[in-house]
Amino acid sequence: MSGKTATAPTTYSPSPTQKKRQPIFKDVDWIRPDGRGFHQCRPAFLRTGAVNAAAGSAYAEFGNTKVIVSVFGPRESKKAMMYSDIGRLNCNVSYTTFATPVRGQGSDHKEFSSMLHKALEGAIILESFPKTTVDVFALVLESGGSDLPVVISCASLALADAGIMMYDLVTSVSVSCLGANLVIDPISEEESYQDGSLLITCMPSRNEVTQLTLTGEWSTPKIHEAVELCLDACSKLGDVMRSCLKEAASASQE
Amino acid sequence: MVGLSIGEKHFIQGGIAQDIRTDGRKRLTYRPISVETGVIPQANGSARVRMGATDVIASVKAELGKPTPLQPDKGKVAIYVDCSPVAAPMFERRGGEELATELSVALQKCLLGGKSGAGAGIDLSSLMVIEGKICWDLYIDCLVISSDGNLLDTLGAAIKAALSNTGVPKVHVAMGPSGDEQPEVDISDEEFLQFDTTGVPVIVTLTKIGRHYIVDATSEEESQMSSAVSISVNRHGHICGLTKRGGSGLDPSVILDMVSVAKHVSEQLINKLDSEIAAAEAYEVES
């Protein structure tokens, strides 16, 4: 971006931080930037079969967060790997260079990759493909907040599309704590001002949490409230994902 | 990782179910903790913490830097963990790297709080020297010398001890004409500001083996775990961070129960650690 664009504010979109907005979050009732209720998720758009070359793939769009995940394999593990009687899962999350308002590196996101791995490994029946590796590659096309939960949910959809055996679909939702309020499915602007966040990854039909992280200072009642909120949203997202898979399956039969 | 026979595995699991572990501890008892401060003279603060056979060193170095434009009124803290192959052969190359990243991410989550700085163990605004121009950058580097389980808790304790040992030099600012690009600073090498560590939380990892969970697991016990939840709790009993390890899922009610157990255990740990740190500091002054 050249310095000239700064004179024409209509075309110049800076980072999502607007200093003036901050006090709004501290009020008891403020309006979220996209007009949602505090406990209302963004509408989810999910499609399977986004990448033809992959064994399975999925595309997810939650507001401005756009993610594409493809699954390859199971294929033979590399020769250097030791023998293993259960399958291996290899996860990789990367961002495009244009995913964030400030042009990024577009490189791998190591932290998210390991989080994705931890979120999925408990749900996949690794015994069903010994000696082989399943690769899960996620690419964040556009980062609009709650990137990791969207990546995780989308990855489990792609795994289901690839026919990898799982105990259940994995769904993930995060909650941000802003002042006194809990805000579900935060956008980047809300994330940049959050006091704390809670991310839950669960298998809704088994009612099992496969991964959770929490940052910021929380009191116990607040954790209870946030966990409940997340689990409820997770089970609803699970229904949406299931119907997406059913749709894809019935379309392919016709 | 740890080679155990079926008999040994059953012994560990059975012991935990009966509330007596292989080394005679109860489920919620820690191994003896020993703290030594000021072990690295070149650092601004350092500590060596041992929990049983787990042995780590944490060092804090303070350097003057420039605050980020997004947070002009705050200093920066970075936490790095190094798992050297000296501790265990499996730390060589990628094994150590992966574990080191996992540990540093977990420590950052547990100690540095949310994005807005709420719940942070380290008050970042106290690291400010001149708003928007100069701040202190704290580099917290940890080294694992010997690993026998419960690394995260030990590292958390070592960081807490190292921070309370840290003296940040006093800075005298020579204000030039207004709108000066970079003001002149004079770092005092005699006067130090003690770091306030009352808000630094402790990390309690509850390792789930069978139907029960234990604190301060040894590596033998860790090899039998189904999952582990690390919870950082501060002095006020507030949760400052939480991460989960291990693949298998947990029932939500179990997690909430773990949180309340961790709160209970953390009280004892904070008191124990505080007295150990005070003793170590007193010993250091004497010698």
Side-chain angles (χ1 to χ4, degrees):
Chain A
M1 268 179 243
S2 67
K4 278 176 198 164
T5 45
T7 51
T10 42
T11 56
Y12 175 62
S13 95
S15 58
T17 43
Q18 284 159 304
K19 272 255 141 161
K20 278 176 238 149
R21 286 284 181 101
Q22 193 178 11
I24 300 173
F25 295 132
K26 300 296 170 201
D27 288 350
V28 179
D29 45 17
W30 44 275
I31 297 163
R32 295 178 71 170
D34 51 2
R36 278 182 290 154
F38 289 151
H39 298 175
Q40 196 185 350
C41 293
R42 291 174 291 185
F45 175 81
L46 301 161
R47 278 289 175 278
T48 55
V51 181
N52 284 328
S57 62
Y59 170 78
E61 192 176 317
F62 287 57
N64 280 333
T65 308
K66 300 183 179 83
V67 168
I68 190 160
V69 180
S70 48
V71 172
F72 295 91
R75 57 186 177 194
E76 191 186 353
S77 291
K78 283 192 190 101
K79 288 281 187 303
M81 298 262 207
M82 277 200 301
Y83 170 80
S84 156
D85 51 3
I86 59 166
R88 278 199 180 83
L89 179 67
N90 174 33
C91 295
N92 182 285
V93 179
S94 51
Y95 275 69
T96 57
T97 48
F98 47 81
T100 46
V102 181
R103 187 175 173 273
Q105 307 288 314
S107 59
D108 301 350
H109 204 300
K110 269 194 186 149
E111 190 189 333
F112 280 8
S113 303
S114 82
M115 295 276 279
L116 178 63
H117 185 269
K118 280 192 253 177
L120 294 176
E121 69 178 344
I124 300 174
I125 308 176
L126 292 169
E127 290 82 0
S128 62
F129 47 96
K131 295 188 277 183
T132 52
T133 306
V134 168
D135 290 307
V136 177
F137 297 126
L139 180 67
V140 179
L141 295 172
E142 194 177 336
S143 155
S146 308
D147 297 343
L148 185 60
V150 177
V151 164
I152 293 170
S153 310
C154 188
S156 92
L157 204 62
L159 282 167
D161 186 47
I164 307 287
M165 290 231 271
M166 289 190 286
Y167 295 109
D168 190 7
L169 280 173
V170 181
T171 61
S172 179
V173 172
S174 70
V175 164
S176 269
C177 180
L178 283 155
N181 294 307
L182 288 175
V183 177
I184 203 163
D185 200 14
I187 59 169
S188 332
E189 194 182 342
E190 288 161 339
E191 274 186 337
S192 62
Y193 284 119
Q194 69 192 5
D195 295 318
S197 72
L198 173 82
L199 170 114
I200 280 199
T201 303
C202 75
M203 296 189 267
S205 353
R206 284 164 64 100
N207 194 30
E208 249 182 44
V209 177
T210 58
Q211 184 56 243
L212 85 162
T213 51
L214 180 147
T215 57
E217 194 171 353
W218 295 71
S219 62
T220 316
K222 204 143 204 192
I223 293 180
H224 281 248
E225 195 191 333
V227 167
E228 224 154 85
L229 204 62
C230 274
L231 289 175
D232 186 47
C234 276
S235 73
K236 279 174 185 155
L237 180 59
D239 295 341
V240 175
M241 284 162 63
R242 205 148 278 159
S243 66
C244 164
L245 284 172
K246 271 182 202 157
E247 239 170 66
S250 60
S252 64
Q253 271 172 6
E254 276 163 17
Chain B
M1 229 168 103
V2 185
L4 287 177
S5 66
I6 297 171
E8 283 172 306
K9 285 179 190 171
H10 279 297
F11 188 69
I12 289 174
Q13 286 164 2
I16 286 165
Q18 290 179 33
D19 203 9
I20 179 152
R21 287 152 67 176
T22 43
D23 47 8
R25 285 184 288 157
K26 284 180 179 288
R27 283 198 287 265
L28 298 181
T29 322
Y30 275 84
R31 287 173 291 184
I33 302 171
S34 82
V35 178
E36 222 179 297
T37 54
V39 288
I40 299 166
Q42 276 103 325
N44 294 76
S46 59
R48 175 184 187 184
V49 170
R50 268 174 284 189
M51 270 193 206
T54 302
D55 196 340
V56 301
I57 285 183
S59 93
V60 180
K61 277 213 176 208
E63 280 172 21
L64 282 178
K66 213 172 162 10
T68 56
L70 281 178
Q71 292 179 317
D73 56 340
K74 282 179 180 142
K76 288 173 284 186
V77 178
I79 302 178
Y80 298 103
V81 180
D82 184 19
C83 296
S84 115
V86 166
M90 69 201 171
F91 288 166
E92 210 191 329
R93 282 186 303 245
R94 274 197 64 189
E97 234 170 75
E98 264 169 33
L99 182 69
T101 350
E102 196 185 323
L103 286 170
S104 24
V105 167
L107 284 170
Q108 277 163 16
K109 284 226 166 74
C110 288
L111 300 175
L112 301 185
K115 281 229 175 73
S116 74
I122 302 159
D123 183 13
L124 293 181
S125 32
S126 71
L127 295 171
M128 201 60 243
V129 180
I130 303 165
E131 184 167 331
K133 298 235 168 82
I134 304 172
C135 68
W136 284 109
D137 291 345
L138 282 192
Y139 293 97
I140 304 177
D141 293 287
C142 307
L143 175 70
V144 177
I145 302 170
S146 154
S147 159
D148 187 20
N150 205 22
L151 272 178
L152 192 62
D153 297 18
T154 321
L155 287 169
I159 290 176
K160 192 177 162 78
L163 280 173
S164 58
N165 180 243
T166 301
V168 180
K170 227 174 188 168
V171 179
H172 299 284
V173 184
M175 261 303 185
S178 59
D180 201 356
E181 278 296 288
Q182 205 62 8
E184 295 237 341
V185 288
D186 175 31
I187 303 169
S188 159
D189 45 7
E190 280 159 9
E191 286 175 287
F192 290 96
L193 292 175
Q194 202 62 35
F195 213 78
D196 179 31
T197 53
T198 44
V200 180
V202 290
I203 304 173
V204 175
T205 301
L206 293 169
T207 309
K208 192 162 181 281
I209 297 172
R211 283 174 48 238
H212 301 276
Y213 24 89
I214 55 171
V215 298
D216 195 15
T218 62
S219 50
E220 279 176 5
E221 286 165 335
E222 269 179 3
S223 70
Q224 298 306 305
M225 76 173 188
S226 59
S227 56
V229 177
S230 300
I231 303 157
S232 83
V233 189
N234 68 8
R235 208 171 288 272
H236 310 292
H238 286 168
I239 312 299
C240 302
L242 196 155
T243 49
K244 182 179 166 294
R245 277 184 300 147
S248 72
L250 284 172
D251 195 87
S253 63
V254 172
I255 291 171
L256 296 175
D257 186 44
M258 278 176 155
V259 168
S260 64
V261 171
K263 265 172 82 168
H264 177 70
V265 173
S266 72
E267 277 174 34
Q268 298 160 12
L269 183 63
I270 286 179
N271 290 336
K272 171 92 181 124
L273 209 57
D274 277 348
S275 62
E276 284 289 338
I277 291 171
E281 300 253 278
Y283 179 77
E284 197 196 336
V285 170
E286 259 176 46
S287 58

